[in-house]
């Protein structure tokens, strides 16, 4: 894989650390800013919604700029948003900085996904995506738990400052190592013709399934900390351990999916989907047993990213003739799920802190049902 792909993964690591570290900081943010845990968890949804809206917008705005200039600019904007967020004294301001950071992350991912696909032969998009996403999964293994520990010891603001600083070498790496090529101009119809790809049933189905699986992932992951410290009865420092295990599983899952999703994506989804469906309810039932909880956290991380990664790879393949917007379609699918999942999960918290885990299972069930129904529809199977 080209060096440029690994530099893009470094930037994805910095951004992924921010996106996922909230799972370990939600209780502290809620206490500091005087809001409920459910409200603080909605910062994840605000971030994801900003990415859904920002992905196509930023992809269009960056279309005529050299790739590395656009990518490094997005990383620096992301850093600035975190510096402001670290000084926020009220929840609305912090929420606004998450939206700005989301727009920057959306722009980065929309351009990076398209750039990554262009750096490799057409039949290796899955491998390229797995390298790019490895930055996110390594963030879950190292960056997110480190942010959680930092937040536990020094407060959540220190974690935000750490992300801002982490973005600086990432921006330098992208600026110096990614080719200064301009994006392709696309099909004969130009940019205006690219949204027509959204009428393709196979593309829409891949986006919908990817969104539902990612919604399940964020439903369970965002509110994992209360389960670890509440139901399992473990101390706060066990939260980073759980996040490390989820991240290690996600790294394993996306690595396996990257090797299979170019040739046999159906195998990944058909085998991993039912296991993912069983895993979330099992996690809820066995959450009071720490060993079982931590084991299943690893397994669910692996399955979530294997299945989700395979589906997002299909989005890139189905949108191959929309080079400007393909990355934004994949980003929008991922983050529609990331926005929806915490909203659904937050609504279940009133009944039990295990509600988000059951919500994750329900969202996976919805994905499998949609896949089963539309498999028989011509053009979508």
């Amino acid at each position: 894989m080209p060096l440029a792909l690994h530099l893009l993964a470094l930037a994805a690591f910095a951004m992924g650390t921010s996106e996922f570290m909230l799972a370990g900081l939600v209780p502290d943010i809620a206490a500091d800013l005087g809001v409920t845990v459910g409200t603080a968890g909605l910062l994840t949804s605000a971030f994801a919604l900003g990415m859904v809206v920002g992905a196509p917008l930023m992809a269009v705005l960056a279309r005529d700029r050299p790739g590395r200039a656009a990518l490094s600019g997005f990383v620096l904007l992301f850093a600035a948003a975190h510096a402001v967020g670290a000084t926020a004294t009220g929840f609305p301001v912090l929420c606004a900085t998450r939206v700005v950071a989301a727009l920057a992350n959306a722009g980065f991912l929309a351009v990076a996904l398209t750039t990554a696909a262009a750096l490799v032969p057409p039949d290796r998009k899955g491998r390229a995506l797995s390298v790019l996403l490895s930055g996110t999964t390594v963030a879950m293994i190292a960056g997110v738990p480190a942010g959680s520990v930092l937040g536990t010891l020094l407060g959540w603001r220190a974690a935000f400052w750490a992300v801002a600083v982490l973005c600086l070498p990432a921006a330098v790496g992208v600026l110096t190592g990614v080719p200064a090529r301009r994006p392709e101009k696309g099909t004969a119809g130009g940019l205006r013709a690219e949204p027509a790809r959204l009428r393709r049933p196979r593309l829409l189905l891949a986006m919908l399934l990817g969104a539902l699986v990612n919604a399940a992932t964020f439903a369970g992951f965002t509110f994992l900390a209360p389960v670890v410290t509440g139901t399992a009865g473990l101390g706060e420092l066990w939260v980073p351990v759980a996040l490390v295990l989820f991240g290690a599983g996600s790294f394993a899952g996306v690595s396996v999916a990257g090797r299979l999703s170019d040739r046999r994506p159906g195998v990944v989804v058909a085998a991993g989907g039912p296991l993912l469906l069983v895993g979330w309810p099992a996690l809820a039932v066995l959450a009071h047993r720490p060993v079982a909880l931590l084991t299943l956290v690893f397994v669910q991380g692996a399955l979530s990213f294997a299945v989700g990664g395979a589906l997002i790879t299909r989005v890139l393949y189905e949108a191959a003739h929309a080079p400007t917007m393909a990355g934004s379609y994949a980003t929008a699918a991922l983050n529609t799920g990331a926005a929806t999942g915490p909203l659904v999960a937050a609504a279940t918290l009133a009944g039990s802190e295990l509600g988000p885990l059951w919500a994750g299972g329900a969202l996976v069930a919805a994905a499998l049902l949609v896949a089963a129904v539309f498999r028989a529809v011509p053009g979508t199977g």
Side-chain angles (χ1 to χ4, degrees), residues 23 26-27 37 221-233 239 349 353:
V26 163
V37 170
F221 183 79
T222 300
F223 299 101
L224 186 58
V227 176
V228 173
T229 58
T231 304
V239 173
L349 281 172
E353 62 198 15

Side-chain angles (χ1 to χ4, degrees), residues 185-246:
K185 293 300 181 184
T187 57
L191 180 61
R192 291 183 180 179
E194 292 196 16
R197 302 295 294 179
L198 281 174
R199 292 198 293 266
R200 287 176 52 87
R202 292 172 65 92
L203 172 58
L204 288 173
L205 181 60
M207 291 176 67
L208 176 58
L209 295 179
L212 285 169
V213 169
N214 209 41
T217 301
F218 274 81
F221 183 79
T222 300
F223 299 101
L224 186 58
V227 176
V228 173
T229 58
T231 304
L234 298 173
E236 288 189 359
L237 289 178
W238 279 95
V239 173
V241 174
L243 298 180
V244 166
L245 288 171
F246 192 92

Side-chain angles (χ1 to χ4, degrees), residues 251-282:
F251 181 80
V254 80
S255 298
V256 171
R259 296 180 179 277
L260 295 176
S261 57
D262 286 318
R263 304 186 309 276
R264 307 182 71 183
V267 172
V268 179
V269 177
L275 292 174
L276 190 59
L277 172 62
V278 172
W280 287 117

